[in-house]
Coordinates of all heavy atoms in Angstrom, one line a residue:
R143 N 186.5 -93.0 51.9 CA 187.2 -94.3 51.9 C 186.5 -95.1 50.7 O 185.7 -96.0 50.9 CB 187.1 -95.1 53.2 CG 188.0 -96.3 53.2 CD 187.9 -97.0 54.6 NE 188.7 -98.2 54.6 CZ 190.0 -98.4 54.9 NH1 190.7 -97.3 55.2 NH2 190.6 -99.5 54.8
S145 N 187.5 -97.5 48.8 CA 187.7 -98.9 48.8 C 186.5 -99.7 49.3 O 186.3 -100.8 48.9 CB 189.0 -99.3 49.6 OG 188.8 -99.1 51.0
E335 N 189.7 -107.1 54.1 CA 190.6 -106.2 54.7 C 189.8 -105.0 55.2 O 190.1 -104.4 56.3 CB 191.7 -105.7 53.8 CG 192.7 -106.8 53.5 CD 193.6 -106.4 52.3 OE1 193.4 -105.3 51.7 OE2 194.6 -107.1 52.1
D336 N 188.8 -104.5 54.4 CA 188.0 -103.4 54.9 C 187.1 -103.8 56.1 O 186.8 -103.0 56.9 CB 187.2 -102.9 53.7 CG 187.9 -101.8 52.9 OD1 188.6 -101.0 53.6 OD2 187.8 -101.8 51.7
L338 N 187.9 -105.9 58.4 CA 188.8 -105.8 59.6 C 189.1 -104.4 60.0 O 189.2 -104.1 61.2 CB 190.1 -106.5 59.3 CG 190.1 -108.0 59.1 CD1 191.4 -108.6 58.7 CD2 189.6 -108.7 60.5
F339 N 189.2 -103.5 59.0 CA 189.4 -102.1 59.3 C 188.2 -101.5 60.1 O 188.4 -100.8 61.1 CB 189.7 -101.2 58.1 CG 189.9 -99.8 58.4 CD1 191.1 -99.3 58.8 CD2 188.8 -98.9 58.2 CE1 191.2 -97.9 59.1 CE2 188.9 -97.5 58.5 CZ 190.2 -97.1 58.9
T342 N 188.3 -103.0 63.7 CA 189.5 -102.7 64.5 C 190.1 -101.3 64.4 O 190.8 -100.9 65.3 CB 190.6 -103.7 64.3 OG1 191.2 -103.5 62.9 CG2 190.1 -105.2 64.3
G343 N 189.8 -100.6 63.3 CA 190.4 -99.3 63.0 C 191.8 -99.4 62.5 O 192.5 -98.4 62.4
N344 N 192.3 -100.6 62.3 CA 193.7 -100.8 61.8 C 193.7 -101.3 60.3 O 192.8 -102.0 59.9 CB 194.4 -101.8 62.7 CG 194.6 -101.4 64.1 OD1 194.9 -100.2 64.4 ND2 194.4 -102.3 65.0
E345 N 194.7 -100.9 59.6 CA 194.9 -101.3 58.2 C 195.6 -102.7 58.2 O 196.5 -102.9 59.0 CB 195.7 -100.3 57.4 CG 195.1 -98.9 57.3 CD 193.9 -98.9 56.3 OE1 193.6 -99.9 55.7 OE2 193.3 -97.8 56.2
Y346 N 195.1 -103.5 57.3 CA 195.7 -104.9 57.1 C 196.0 -105.1 55.7 O 195.3 -104.7 54.8 CB 194.8 -106.0 57.7 CG 194.5 -105.9 59.2 CD1 193.5 -105.1 59.7 CD2 195.3 -106.6 60.1 CE1 193.3 -105.0 61.0 CE2 195.1 -106.5 61.4 CZ 194.1 -105.8 61.9 OH 193.8 -105.7 63.3
D347 N 197.1 -105.9 55.4 CA 197.4 -106.3 54.1 C 197.4 -107.8 54.1 O 198.5 -108.5 54.2 CB 198.8 -105.8 53.6 CG 199.0 -106.0 52.1 OD1 198.4 -106.8 51.6 OD2 199.9 -105.3 51.6

Side-chain angles (χ1 to χ4, degrees):
R143 190 178 176 91
S145 64
E335 289 171 354
D336 271 320
L338 290 176
F339 178 81
T342 68
N344 296 319
E345 298 285 0
Y346 294 89
D347 191 341

